[in-house]
Amino acid sequence: MYTKCGSFSSAVNVFEEMVTREGFVEDVTLWNSLLDGYLKFGQINEGLAHFNKMQALGVLPDAYSLSILLGALGLKEGKQIHGYIVRHIFKSDPFLETALIGMYSSCSRIMEAWFVFDHLEDKSNVVVWNVMIGGFLENGGWEWSLKLYSLMKAENVKFVSESISSSLSACVYGDVVDFGRQVHCDLIKMGFENNPFVYTSLLSMYGKCQFVEDAENVFRQVLDKGIELWNAMISTFVWNKYSFASFEVYNKMRYNAITPDSFTISNVLSCSSMIGIYNVGRSVHAELVKRPIENSTAVQSALLTMYCKCGSVGDANFILSTMREKDVVAWGSMISGFCQNRKFREALDYFRKMKADGGVRPDSDIMSSVINACTGLENVDSGCMIHGYVIKSGLHHDVYVATSLVDMYSKCGFLGMAERLFSDMHEKNLVAWNSMISSYCRNGLPDQSIKLFSKIIQHGFYPDSVSITSVLTAVSSTAALLNGKIIHGYVVRLEIESDIHLENALMDMYIKCGFLKYAEYIFQNMSQKDLVTWNCMISGYGSHGDCIEALSLFNEMKNSGIKPDDVTFLSLISSCNHAGLVDEGHKIFQSMRAEHGVEPKMEHYVNIVDLFGRAGRLDDAYNFVKSMTIEPDRSVWLSLLCASRTHLNVELGELAAHYLLKLEPDRGSNYVQLLHLYGDAELWEKAANIRATMKEKGLKKTPGCSWIELRDRVDVFFPGDSSSMRTVEIYEILHSIGKHMEKEGGDSEIMETISDLQENSPWRDQLQHPTSNA
């Protein structure tokens, strides 16, 4: 009684008094009661000392004594107990057999558990079967759990509710709803249709396998619905993101005078957080104030999460301050909530508070959130300190923590560190692979992203939509159409579940590879379109010179109820720029703030300057720069300088160059534009002065490059570059084209360019006697 009521010290006192009396010392039941108490209260060493003292006094442990020990000890001690059982010939005791199987299963030694089960003389005890089914399920062997279920039926073992529930859990784990339907038929035949425990498991199975209609049918069939069934139905809707349906069930539950428990409230609050309807969450909180359930840790953690997600830091702080026991879930809810609201400094502050509190050891979820906060702040120094803490706490082997570190280092530009962490991971899951693919692309190594993508399958994983989206971004940046088509075909063949992000990535890839028709086809067949979808297609039309279609699509987008953002307007202005529609582009710019409430950014101003500049309206361009509400940056003045060069306006060009060089005096490309302006205007003395200044400062222009995809290879070319394996062949072809054009009377300007290229070729001597025929 004292043990079960939590007053264990009183239980110890009673025991010590009783064993001094004659006749009690040899009572094994008395020793077992205290042994059970020691282990239940986590006093393992004291329990083992008690067990040894018991044997020293000549009290032989019985099967129940050994079962108690097996339920609490690890593998090493458990094997010793197993040996003791064998030596002392404890045969056919259901308690011991069940405890042994349970011990091996909980220690992840499922084959030893199976060995014990397989050698049982009597398998008629259903408890042994249930523990073995649960053991396989706990260790990822859901197929074996279902095989045992079928074997139970063949052996005519009498089923209990736990047998059915464990088998239904195995169906969820393996996502085999057909077998679940078979179990559904069996439970009706076995007479479990009125068992609330079984029907709750059945409803959960259908819900978690995304068969919501079947779950609703099960719910309706039960006339006397207990709180567990209501909770299971609410959870099913939350699990399948039917948020409003879950609120509806919650209201029906209250209408039927069923009092919600902590599980109900946690689900409703989670649902409120998920869809951003915080008024519902607040009203639920208001109902809880006078109920003791408000002090439940699960409910308080759900309230914390909700308030953090809606940005109500004050309310979240209040909940945290009222919690008697701040467990790892509470701190985790607070920290992750701040991260989701991009309040990264507050997240780090609360992590420090948690460490100062001293009562909670952070888990992998908390550390992942803290690392993400460092990433959001782009603070690699804090990230390194957190990395050190992770190593000290032993969490660096956790795949999610390691993946967060990879992401943090790559986003802060430390790709080498990200690579090292990735290669040191003992176990890589698909999330880790996806993170590394994105890391390479983010750091300007798209080819490495594409190579790494091909290795995913070799390591036993199947790419998901995130993998495909990440690698398509890499393909887009290199315009490697062949790779893009291969990946698209892979998606179709393997029937990878497509989401809006993947479809947007496919559209972007085809647009950047020059295949607008393919992008149009994807766009027209999308079941759902978000802002990114519309922006991508508008930008695609603009970059392919179809400004009219881009403007038409913009109107269609507005009619569909999608509100444009700054990216939309940047694409539209750029489209007008390419098409030479100056007034239309300027009108769109003016409508940004006036009609749509979108504040122009520097990129928009640059595009308008370029728009006026290309059309030769330099005065309008300069007046526009003077009227800017933000300080012009380098790109604005560079655009004005380029326009001045194009239209040989030296005065305006010098003015633009003055501001440009004032902002960035040590950038070589800034001087090059002014140099070209003087060269075009034949102001040779000024051009010479610019060259002298550049030489004095040691400035050079970063060379541009071109690339071409041929079969499965992308070749990159720089001016004057001779590193290609086919350089000689390239210049031979060029030489041959030049000769051919001379015979045919080709364009003199093109022929002069070819001549210059040949003259500057490092292989010009060899070109006098070409070795291959064009």
Side-chain angles (χ1 to χ4, degrees):
M1 182 275 293
Y2 278 127
T3 300
K4 287 180 178 177
C5 292
S7 183
F8 189 58
S9 57
S10 299
V12 173
N13 291 335
V14 171
F15 172 81
E16 288 176 349
E17 185 180 336
M18 289 178 74
V19 293
T20 59
R21 301 178 191 173
E22 190 177 345
F24 280 110
V25 71
E26 295 177 358
D27 186 355
V28 69
T29 307
L30 191 63
W31 289 87
N32 285 347
S33 295
L34 201 65
L35 178 63
D36 192 31
Y38 275 123
L39 299 182
K40 277 182 179 174
F41 283 88
Q43 299 177 24
I44 306 294
N45 293 331
E46 292 85 347
L48 291 173
H50 177 80
F51 181 70
N52 292 332
K53 182 181 177 182
M54 167 183 170
Q55 293 179 87
L57 292 172
V59 181
L60 290 175
D62 62 3
Y64 186 58
S65 316
L66 300 174
S67 297
I68 293 168
L69 287 171
L70 286 169
L73 299 178
L75 181 64
K76 183 180 176 182
E77 297 85 355
K79 282 191 169 184
Q80 290 173 356
I81 300 293
H82 192 177
Y84 183 91
I85 292 168
V86 173
R87 287 195 304 274
H88 291 79
I89 320 174
F90 285 85
K91 278 195 172 181
S92 298
D93 188 288
F95 282 111
L96 270 181
E97 291 162 351
T98 304
L100 271 172
I101 293 168
M103 181 274 294
Y104 281 122
S105 297
S106 62
C107 294
S108 302
R109 304 300 286 265
I110 193 64
M111 292 318 295
E112 281 93 332
W114 173 254
F115 181 84
V116 174
F117 177 83
D118 197 39
H119 286 77
L120 292 178
E121 293 179 6
D122 180 13
K123 292 190 179 77
S124 60
N125 181 11
V126 68
V127 178
V128 180
W129 288 86
N130 290 345
V131 172
M132 196 67 242
I133 288 172
F136 274 124
L137 183 58
E138 188 182 330
N139 287 276
W142 60 269
E143 305 101 321
W144 286 96
S145 295
L146 297 180
K147 285 178 183 177
L148 274 178
Y149 171 85
S150 300
L151 193 59
M152 273 182 82
K153 287 201 300 179
E155 296 284 334
N156 293 319
V157 179
K158 186 173 172 139
F159 281 74
V160 293
S161 58
E162 190 181 341
S163 318
I164 303 291
S165 296
S166 296
S167 302
L168 289 169
S169 297
C171 294
V172 172
Y173 201 99
D175 197 21
V176 282
V177 76
D178 289 337
F179 199 101
R181 292 188 194 281
Q182 182 186 322
V183 176
H184 188 175
C185 295
D186 291 340
L187 69 88
I188 293 171
K189 291 175 188 173
M190 294 174 191
F192 285 104
E193 62 265 38
N194 295 320
N195 187 305
F197 181 61
V198 168
Y199 258 67
T200 301
S201 299
L202 181 64
L203 192 155
S204 297
M205 184 274 294
Y206 281 125
K208 288 179 180 177
C209 290
Q210 299 182 338
F211 283 78
V212 179
E213 193 175 332
D214 292 277
E216 287 182 285
N217 289 336
V218 171
F219 182 73
R220 282 193 289 267
Q221 285 168 15
V222 180
L223 299 177
D224 187 14
K225 299 177 179 71
I227 182 70
E228 296 83 6
L229 200 69
W230 287 97
N231 285 344
M233 195 67 244
I234 292 171
S235 292
T236 291
F237 283 130
V238 173
W239 179 273
N240 290 279
K241 298 182 180 177
Y242 294 166
S243 304
F244 292 102
S246 66
F247 289 142
E248 192 177 327
V249 174
Y250 173 68
N251 290 330
K252 282 182 184 175
M253 177 180 171
R254 291 171 60 210
Y255 180 78
N256 284 279
I258 306 292
T259 305
D261 62 7
S262 59
F263 191 78
T264 320
I265 300 302
S266 298
N267 262 319
V268 173
L269 290 171
S270 297
C271 194
S272 176
S273 302
M274 192 165 61
I275 60 172
I277 303 181
Y278 301 112
N279 290 336
V280 174
R282 288 181 184 278
S283 65
V284 170
H285 187 190
E287 291 174 16
L288 294 176
V289 170
K290 295 182 180 180
R291 292 181 58 195
I293 193 176
E294 190 196 11
N295 296 322
S296 158
T297 304
V299 170
Q300 289 174 321
S301 295
L303 282 167
L304 268 178
T305 303
M306 182 197 71
Y307 283 126
C308 285
K309 281 187 176 179
C310 70
S312 299
V313 180
D315 290 319
N317 266 322
F318 175 76
I319 297 292
L320 191 70
S321 65
T322 58
M323 293 179 74
R324 292 173 189 165
E325 293 182 13
K326 300 177 182 73
D327 64 358
V328 69
V329 177
W331 286 107
S333 298
M334 200 76 182
I335 292 167
S336 67
F338 279 124
C339 286
Q340 286 166 6
N341 278 284
R342 304 190 65 77
K343 295 185 176 180
F344 301 119
R345 293 191 189 282
E346 290 86 344
L348 293 178
D349 288 341
Y350 269 85
F351 175 65
R352 293 186 192 102
K353 286 180 184 177
M354 185 194 76
K355 283 171 64 183
D357 193 54
V360 176
R361 187 172 181 268
D363 62 4
S364 59
D365 289 335
I366 288 178
M367 293 317 302
S368 296
S369 295
V370 171
I371 294 163
N372 291 339
C374 296
T375 307
L377 292 169
E378 296 182 2
N379 189 337
V380 75
D381 293 332
S382 296
C384 287
M385 286 191 284
I386 297 298
H387 189 179
Y389 180 84
V390 163
I391 293 170
K392 287 177 185 175
S393 60
L395 287 169
H396 57 294
H397 292 306
D398 183 275
V399 67
Y400 294 103
V401 174
T403 301
S404 297
L405 284 168
V406 167
D407 192 57
M408 186 266 293
Y409 280 118
S410 72
K411 285 181 177 174
C412 293
F414 290 82
L415 183 62
M417 194 65 189
E419 284 181 311
R420 198 178 314 152
L421 280 165
F422 180 75
S423 62
D424 288 346
M425 288 169 114
H426 296 307
E427 291 184 15
K428 300 178 181 74
N429 62 6
L430 188 56
V431 177
W433 285 94
N434 290 347
S435 179
M436 199 63 226
I437 289 169
S438 298
S439 297
Y440 280 126
C441 191
R442 192 181 295 120
N443 285 274
L445 294 171
D447 290 335
Q448 289 295 102
S449 292
I450 296 167
K451 286 177 185 175
L452 195 65
F453 175 78
S454 64
K455 293 180 182 177
I456 290 181
I457 299 176
Q458 295 171 19
H459 285 79
F461 294 100
Y462 284 97
D464 61 1
S465 60
V466 178
S467 321
I468 303 294
T469 303
S470 300
V471 77
L472 283 172
T473 305
V475 170
S476 298
S477 65
T478 58
L481 178 63
L482 182 60
N483 282 327
K485 283 185 171 182
I486 290 169
I487 292 164
H488 191 180
Y490 181 86
V491 171
V492 173
R493 282 197 311 278
L494 269 72
E495 297 180 348
I496 293 173
E497 189 175 351
S498 194
D499 59 23
I500 196 165
H501 303 293
L502 193 154
E503 289 174 321
N504 288 342
L506 275 170
M507 275 175 51
D508 185 60
M509 183 271 294
Y510 280 122
I511 286 168
K512 287 178 178 172
C513 291
F515 275 66
L516 187 63
K517 287 292 179 186
Y518 287 14
E520 280 181 315
Y521 179 80
I522 294 168
F523 178 80
Q524 288 161 4
N525 287 279
M526 287 174 72
S527 57
Q528 185 184 357
K529 297 180 180 76
D530 65 0
L531 179 60
V532 177
T533 312
W534 290 96
N535 284 348
C536 185
M537 203 62 229
I538 289 170
S539 175
Y541 281 125
S543 61
H544 284 75
D546 197 344
C547 181
I548 303 302
E549 195 62 44
L551 293 171
S552 173
L553 198 63
F554 174 60
N555 292 326
E556 191 181 328
M557 169 186 164
K558 289 190 293 183
N559 293 334
S560 70
I562 301 289
K563 188 178 178 183
D565 67 352
D566 58 303
V567 178
T568 317
F569 288 105
L570 190 63
S571 300
L572 287 168
I573 296 167
S574 180
S575 298
C576 293
N577 197 348
H578 287 299
L581 300 177
V582 182
D583 293 330
E584 185 67 31
H586 191 216
K587 183 181 174 184
I588 289 167
F589 176 84
Q590 291 175 321
S591 73
M592 283 180 67
R593 192 187 288 121
E595 295 178 22
H596 302 282
V598 177
E599 198 65 32
K601 293 183 178 178
M602 192 63 72
E603 296 90 337
H604 300 92
Y605 288 105
V606 173
N607 263 272
I608 293 296
V609 172
D610 191 48
L611 182 74
F612 283 130
R614 287 192 185 207
R617 292 165 58 173
L618 297 184
D619 290 339
D620 289 335
Y622 182 50
N623 290 332
F624 179 79
V625 172
K626 289 194 291 184
S627 68
M628 283 174 62
T629 56
I630 57 177
E631 192 68 27
D633 71 353
R634 170 188 181 271
S635 53
V636 173
W637 294 115
L638 182 61
S639 180
L640 190 61
L641 174 56
C642 291
S644 302
R645 179 198 165 191
T646 302
H647 298 283
L648 282 179
N649 189 325
V650 177
E651 185 183 349
L652 185 59
E654 286 180 330
L655 179 69
H658 168 74
Y659 286 106
L660 182 63
L661 297 175
K662 190 177 177 182
L663 288 170
E664 291 184 339
D666 297 321
R667 188 161 180 162
S669 57
N670 294 341
Y671 291 87
V672 170
Q673 290 301 323
L674 183 59
L675 179 66
H676 287 323
L677 172 62
Y678 287 144
D680 294 342
E682 298 184 0
L683 299 171
W684 307 117
E685 188 176 338
K686 289 187 175 184
N689 290 336
I690 293 293
R691 285 187 188 277
T693 303
M694 290 179 69
K695 189 174 182 180
E696 184 183 328
K697 292 190 173 188
L699 302 176
K700 289 183 179 180
K701 180 181 179 289
T702 305
C705 70
S706 301
W707 63 86
I708 187 169
E709 182 188 14
L710 187 63
R711 299 185 182 91
D712 60 345
R713 181 185 174 89
V714 177
D715 284 300
V716 182
F717 300 94
F718 291 90
D721 180 25
S722 59
S723 60
S724 173
M725 299 292 289
R726 304 181 68 182
T727 300
V728 176
E729 190 178 348
I730 291 166
Y731 278 104
E732 285 178 358
I733 294 290
L734 192 65
H735 178 77
S736 178
I737 290 171
K739 291 291 183 185
H740 183 72
M741 288 184 71
E742 283 178 15
K743 289 179 184 176
E744 299 293 328
D747 185 287
S748 59
E749 190 176 341
I750 296 174
M751 288 172 64
E752 186 181 341
T753 303
I754 291 174
S755 178
D756 288 343
L757 286 168
Q758 292 172 346
E759 200 57 39
N760 294 320
S761 166
W763 308 94
R764 60 179 179 273
D765 293 335
Q766 296 181 38
L767 289 173
Q768 304 304 318
H769 306 286
T771 57
S772 64
N773 293 318

